[in-house]
């Protein structure tokens, strides 16, 4: 036994000694992305747009921080802390260059369940200036933030554990319809939670299944208690916000300056509330006292952790899903990559470390990320600059927010959720592409509304897996009868013009979210490996794709000329929205590489006979034409491989004839 233990210790010691400085450096570069982009940061070109974006972002961070803290049932000042500490942590560990993390409506709503359950509300008035606790706040308010910080801490621990277990690769189960439906449903919940401020009503906290409907039932039962002054101020604020934001979007390219309407509205209404003494004359609820300075670090209450496990899992999953979707969208838009597992680590630490500074759960928000897009941000420097501005607010300007009306803050929240609520428009897209995805969207949204965001997310994932498991065994792959004849016909020709730089890829399995990403990656490998470039010798490649993998076979070499990729869709039995999106992305990627993409067996001649008697080929053409802009001068869809190659031959002969005529 002693010999075995010594042998194990010596093996471990040898592994430790084998670690080189280069290995440690590579690990640090991989886990600390800031070490990659800071040394190559272009101060001359990027600093000015990042500074402008950072200042605009700070305004939105402050308003959303105050609002989402109230949404989380804690004092508004903790929202300012939640807009400062997580941003710094994500800038160090995160890979999304345009992702604006901080307070988030969905995670705030989830943590509010734990806060209200463990520390029931005795008053919702934040104006009391009680100096009996830390930061000049009451013991009641410190108990509430203690629960919210515990949710943030445990949620972050769960995310870090998922990083250790390398569960980022499982994110393919989170399809776009599920994420869209869940975030839209959660945004509807957030709007509902702000109704009491918009109407100036005193509504008790209502949670649990069907709470959404109980809240509106209570509102209609007590409709006479609506405060007219608060309602009018809310309507005026919403109209001004929507109008100015729409004008900002419309004339952004001309004026290139975004009007900070959120900040202007806060200043105007705070001054009006102060000089008109609205708090006492009209009984308008205001934000109240905002303490100065940053708090000293304090560990969250560990005794509370067993009580908040459910909310912690909700924060971990919902926050990560929403943040990853934004990171992947920005990476796709600006042509860089994001590691799913690294994002688990970044968001986990952005929840764990700030929880020691009384921060509510954090995540990336669509509105803030869209703001970085529109203002021309280049890197996370914009977010770090916003932290500097927020620090100034915390130490100097914070107390001046005392007179900010809560109904105005609620109006800012509701208008800020416009992007999420507009996802209802996706229903038309899903209906035209895949009605099963449409059904998943609707049912996931209903589950989210009736229960909660985490329940809706879980239902969407389970429902998607069940449907794919049901569809995959029933998939009938068509065998291309004349493939060898087509190959022989064109190999036998003396003139090989028709096969110059042509690659043929046969798709012999369903293309859905389970295999779409790998299909895209395999196709890019074929393009890169087999030389759709300027090499002298090129090959026509006949490739069969089955169950997410490609196997190539050399057919014939030809000289370098125009590149063509032919996708044989005869075996594409069914697809979903993710599969169509990947096909469209492949089309656009190849177009940018000056590669023509042709799809064969798409005219309905080769159909899949099933119980619903539907034409997969016809619906594929319709889905691709509806889902993207296939702006091509030449035809893209063909009945067969031979007809596609004939078209290539005719087009090249015509091009040569045109060149000779010009000469």
């Amino acid at each position: 036994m002693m010999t075995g233990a010594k042998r194990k210790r010596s093996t471990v010691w040898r592994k430790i000694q084998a670690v080189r400085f280069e290995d440690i450096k590579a690990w640090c570069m991989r886990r600390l992305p800031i070490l990659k982009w800071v040394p190559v940061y272009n101060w001359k070109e990027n600093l000015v747009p990042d500074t402008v974006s950072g200042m605009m972002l700070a305004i939105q961070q402050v308003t959303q921080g105050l609002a989402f803290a109230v949404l989380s049932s804690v004092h508004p000042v903790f929202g300012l802390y939640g807009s400062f500490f997580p941003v710094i942590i994500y800038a160090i560990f995160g890979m999304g260059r345009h992702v604006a993390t901080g307070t988030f409506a969905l995670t705030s709503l989830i943590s509010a369940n734990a806060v209200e359950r463990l520390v029931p509300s005795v008053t919702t008035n934040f104006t009391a200036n009680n100096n009996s606790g830390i930061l000049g706040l009451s013991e009641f308010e410190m108990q509430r933030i203690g629960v919210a910080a515990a949710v943030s801490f445990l949620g972050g621990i769960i995310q870090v554990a998922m990083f250790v277990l390398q569960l980022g690769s499982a994110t393919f189960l989170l399809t776009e319809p599920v994420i869209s439906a869940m975030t839209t449903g959660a945004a509807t919940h957030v709007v509902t939670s702000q109704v009491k401020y918009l109407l100036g009503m005193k509504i008790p906290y209502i949670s649990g299944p069907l709470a959404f409907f109980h809240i509106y039932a209570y509102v209609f039962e007590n409709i006479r208690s609506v405060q007219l002054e608060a309602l009018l101020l809310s309507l005026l604020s919403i109209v001004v916000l929507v109008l100015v934001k729409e004008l900002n979007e419309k004339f952004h390219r001309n004026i290139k300056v975004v009007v900070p309407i959120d900040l202007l509205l806060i200043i105007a209404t705070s001054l009006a509330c102060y000089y008109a003494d609205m708090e006492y004359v009209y009984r308008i609820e205001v934000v109240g006292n905002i303490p100065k300075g940053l708090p000293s670090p304090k560990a969250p209450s560990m005794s509370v952790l067993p009580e908040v496990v459910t909310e912690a899992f909700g924060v971990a999953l919902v926050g990560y899903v929403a943040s990853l979707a934004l990171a992947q969208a920005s990476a796709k838009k600006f042509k860089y990559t994001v590691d799913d597992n690294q994002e688990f680590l970044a968001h986990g630490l952005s929840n764990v470390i700030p929880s020691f500074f009384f921060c509510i759960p954090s995540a990336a928000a669509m509105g803030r990320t869209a703001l970085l897009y529109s203002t021309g941000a280049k890197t996370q420097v914009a977010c770090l600059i916003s932290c500097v501005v927020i620090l100034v607010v915390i130490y100097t300007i914070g107390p001046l927010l005392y007179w900010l009306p809560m109904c105005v803050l609620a109006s800012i929240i509701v208008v800020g959720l416009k992007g999420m609520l507009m996802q209802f428009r996706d229903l038309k897209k899903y209906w035209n592409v895949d009605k099963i995805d449409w059904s998943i969207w609707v049912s996931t949204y209903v589950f989210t509304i009736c229960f909660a965001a985490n329940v809706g997310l879980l239902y969407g994932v389970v429902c998607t897996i069940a449907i794919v498991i049901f569809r995959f065994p029933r998939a009938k792959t068509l065998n291309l009868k004349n493939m060898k004849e087509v190959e022989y016909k064109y190999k036998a020709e003396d003139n090989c013009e028709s096969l110059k730089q042509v690659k043929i890829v046969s798709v012999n399995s369903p293309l859905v979210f389970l295999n779409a990403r790998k299909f895209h990656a395999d196709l890019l490998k074929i393009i890169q490996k087999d030389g759709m470039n300027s090499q002298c010798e090129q090959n026509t490649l006949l490739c069969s794709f089955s169950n997410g993998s490609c196997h190539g076979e050399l057919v014939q070499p030809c000289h370098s000329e125009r590149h063509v990729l032919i996708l044989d869709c005869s075996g594409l039995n069914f697809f979903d929205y993710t599969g169509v999106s990947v096909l469209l992305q492949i089309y656009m990627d190849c177009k940018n590489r000056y590669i023509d993409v042709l799809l064969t067996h798409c005219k309905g001649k080769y159909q899949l006979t099933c119980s619903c008697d539907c034409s997969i080929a016809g619906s594929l053409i319709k889905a691709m034409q509806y889902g993207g802009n296939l702006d091509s001068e030449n035809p893209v869809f063909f009945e067969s491989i031979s007809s596609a190659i004939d078209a290539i031959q005719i087009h090249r002969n015509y091009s040569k004839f045109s060149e000779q005529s010009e000469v």
Side-chain angles (χ1 to χ4, degrees):
M1 293 296 293
M2 291 297 294
T3 305
K6 289 181 179 179
R7 188 179 296 115
K8 287 182 179 179
R9 284 197 296 269
S10 62
T11 302
V12 173
W13 180 247
R14 282 198 301 270
K15 289 182 178 179
I16 294 174
Q17 289 180 320
V19 176
R20 300 173 298 170
F21 173 75
E22 289 77 10
D23 298 330
I24 298 175
K25 182 179 178 181
W27 185 89
C28 291
M29 295 290 286
R30 189 169 65 252
R31 297 305 170 205
L32 298 170
I34 193 172
L35 299 179
K36 286 185 178 180
W37 60 264
V38 165
V40 297
Y41 183 76
N42 191 327
W43 295 90
K44 185 176 180 181
E45 293 185 5
N46 297 340
L47 185 59
V48 172
D50 279 344
T51 301
V52 174
S53 298
M55 296 181 69
M56 299 299 299
L57 176 63
I59 297 171
Q60 198 169 69
Q61 286 275 34
V62 169
T63 56
Q64 290 188 350
L66 295 172
F68 295 155
V70 175
L71 182 61
S72 193
S73 296
V74 300
H75 192 280
V77 72
F78 299 116
L80 296 179
Y81 304 152
S83 300
F84 177 75
F85 291 104
V87 178
I88 298 174
I89 303 301
Y90 184 82
I92 297 172
F93 293 94
M95 298 187 70
R97 300 174 194 171
H98 301 81
V99 173
T101 193
T103 56
F104 185 44
L106 308 189
T107 54
S108 295
L109 195 64
I110 294 172
S111 66
N113 292 332
V115 172
E116 293 288 349
R117 188 181 73 251
L118 299 177
V119 189
S121 177
V122 294
T123 176
T124 56
N125 183 15
F126 295 113
T127 63
N129 189 7
N130 189 335
N131 295 324
S132 62
I134 302 173
L135 297 169
L137 302 176
S138 66
E139 186 63 29
F140 167 74
E141 288 161 347
M142 296 311 300
Q143 289 177 359
R144 290 201 139 197
I145 187 56
V147 174
V151 173
S152 178
F153 175 80
L154 186 56
I157 291 294
I158 293 171
Q159 289 175 328
V160 173
M162 290 179 173
F163 159 75
V164 174
L165 296 174
Q166 299 290 293
L167 294 181
S169 57
T171 54
F172 70 91
L173 295 172
L174 305 170
T175 62
E176 185 177 328
V178 172
I179 296 174
S180 174
M182 182 272 294
T183 53
T184 306
T188 309
H189 273 299
V190 175
V191 172
T192 302
S193 70
Q194 299 303 300
V195 167
K196 61 181 179 179
Y197 298 116
L198 295 172
L199 302 179
M201 295 179 64
K202 300 295 182 182
I203 301 177
Y205 184 79
I206 302 174
S207 61
L210 305 180
F212 174 84
F213 304 100
H214 291 310
I215 291 174
Y216 285 105
Y218 182 91
V219 169
F220 285 112
E221 289 174 1
N222 299 272
I223 196 69
R224 291 186 178 182
S225 63
V226 171
Q227 193 175 3
L228 185 59
E229 294 83 1
L231 176 59
L232 292 176
L233 187 55
S234 300
L235 291 175
L236 179 62
S237 300
I238 291 174
V239 169
V240 171
L241 287 168
V242 171
L243 182 62
V244 176
K245 287 179 182 289
E246 288 294 328
L247 292 175
N248 278 339
E249 292 181 8
K250 186 175 182 179
F251 298 105
H252 173 65
R253 292 184 178 180
N254 297 329
I255 59 177
K256 296 185 179 180
V257 176
V258 177
V259 178
I261 185 58
D262 293 357
L263 176 63
L264 296 178
L265 184 64
I266 288 174
I267 295 173
T269 53
S270 298
L271 290 174
C273 186
Y274 173 75
Y275 285 108
D277 202 11
M278 293 183 182
E279 182 183 9
Y280 300 105
V281 176
Y282 301 106
R283 295 179 292 109
I284 297 289
E285 188 176 356
V286 297
V287 168
N289 180 53
I290 303 291
K292 283 185 180 181
L294 294 174
S296 301
K298 181 183 178 181
S301 176
M302 298 298 148
S303 61
V304 180
L305 296 184
E307 304 289 335
V308 298
V309 172
T310 303
E311 287 80 9
F313 267 102
V315 163
L317 295 178
V318 173
Y320 174 75
V321 168
S323 302
L324 182 65
L326 292 174
Q328 290 177 338
S330 65
K332 181 179 178 180
K333 182 179 180 69
F334 296 99
K335 310 298 182 185
Y336 60 90
T337 58
V338 170
D339 184 353
D340 298 349
N341 279 307
Q342 181 64 24
E343 289 298 290
F344 259 133
L345 176 64
H347 288 289
L349 295 179
S350 296
N351 277 311
V352 172
I353 298 175
S355 68
F356 288 81
F357 295 91
F358 305 101
C359 291
I360 60 178
S362 65
M366 181 184 294
R368 295 194 298 265
T369 303
L371 178 66
L372 291 182
Y373 290 170
S374 62
T375 53
K378 303 298 181 183
T379 64
Q380 280 289 321
V381 170
C383 297
L384 294 176
I385 290 174
S386 74
C387 290
V388 177
V389 179
I390 293 171
L391 197 62
V392 173
V393 172
I394 291 174
Y395 274 96
T396 60
I397 305 175
L400 300 178
L401 298 172
Y402 180 99
W403 299 99
L404 175 61
M406 292 297 297
C407 59
V408 174
L409 207 53
S411 301
I412 293 174
I413 293 177
V414 171
V415 176
L417 293 171
K418 175 190 170 186
M420 288 186 181
L421 295 174
M422 292 298 288
Q423 291 179 133
F424 277 110
R425 295 182 300 183
D426 293 344
L427 282 172
K428 183 179 179 181
K429 174 176 63 178
Y430 296 133
W431 179 264
N432 283 277
V433 174
D434 183 17
K435 291 178 176 58
I436 291 182
D437 275 348
W438 182 90
S439 303
I440 292 174
W441 196 103
V442 173
S443 57
T444 301
Y445 176 80
V446 171
F447 262 75
T448 303
I449 287 296
C450 293
F451 300 99
N454 49 348
V455 177
L457 180 65
L458 180 61
Y459 165 81
V461 171
V462 172
C463 186
T464 303
I465 294 174
I467 288 175
V468 170
I469 291 174
F470 178 79
R471 294 172 80 181
F472 253 99
R474 290 159 176 76
K476 298 180 180 179
T477 303
L478 291 174
N479 297 319
L480 188 58
K481 180 179 179 181
N482 298 321
M483 178 67 78
K484 294 297 180 182
E485 296 175 9
V486 171
E487 178 185 339
Y488 174 80
K489 173 184 175 182
Y490 285 96
K491 285 176 67 175
E493 290 185 354
D494 294 330
N495 182 9
C496 70
E497 288 289 330
S498 57
L499 287 180
K500 277 191 176 182
Q501 300 295 342
V502 176
K503 294 185 188 298
I504 304 173
V505 177
S506 180
V507 185
N508 293 328
S509 76
L511 190 55
V512 294
F513 72 97
L514 287 172
N515 58 7
R517 187 182 297 183
K518 191 173 190 305
F519 172 67
H520 188 199
D522 287 346
L523 201 55
L524 288 179
K525 287 180 182 178
I526 292 173
I527 293 172
Q528 295 167 355
K529 179 180 177 181
D530 293 294
M532 282 201 168
N533 49 33
S534 59
Q535 292 179 358
C536 207
E537 292 185 355
Q538 298 292 342
N539 303 313
T540 299
L541 181 67
L542 182 61
C543 174
S544 177
F545 174 84
S546 180
N547 296 326
S549 60
C550 286
H551 307 284
E553 176 185 351
L554 286 178
V555 177
Q556 181 172 345
C558 289
H559 298 298
S560 177
E561 206 183 61
R562 179 72 177 178
H563 306 290
V564 180
L565 174 65
I566 298 178
L567 294 179
D568 174 21
C569 301
S570 60
L572 184 58
N573 301 102
F574 65 84
F575 53 87
D576 63 3
Y577 180 79
T578 305
V580 174
S581 298
V582 166
L583 285 176
L584 290 170
Q585 187 175 349
I586 289 170
Y587 177 84
M588 296 307 299
D589 288 345
C590 291
K591 183 178 178 182
N592 293 334
R593 295 168 182 258
Y594 300 99
I595 301 172
D596 295 328
V597 178
L598 308 180
L599 284 82
T600 64
H601 297 103
C602 290
K603 290 295 183 183
K605 183 176 180 180
Y606 297 89
Q607 298 179 1
L608 174 67
T609 303
C610 58
S611 59
C612 60
D613 216 18
C614 61
S615 170
I616 297 297
S619 61
L620 175 63
I621 297 175
K622 178 182 176 183
M624 291 192 67
Q625 290 175 338
Y626 184 86
N629 185 19
L630 300 177
D631 51 345
S632 175
E633 297 178 357
N634 303 312
V636 176
F637 304 100
F638 294 89
E639 291 185 359
S640 63
I641 296 175
S642 58
S643 62
I645 296 178
D646 287 338
I648 297 170
Q649 176 78 29
I650 294 171
H651 177 69
R652 287 178 174 169
N653 291 339
Y654 177 77
S655 299
K656 288 183 179 180
F657 177 76
S658 299
E659 292 176 1
Q660 292 174 358
S661 300
E662 291 177 0
V663 172

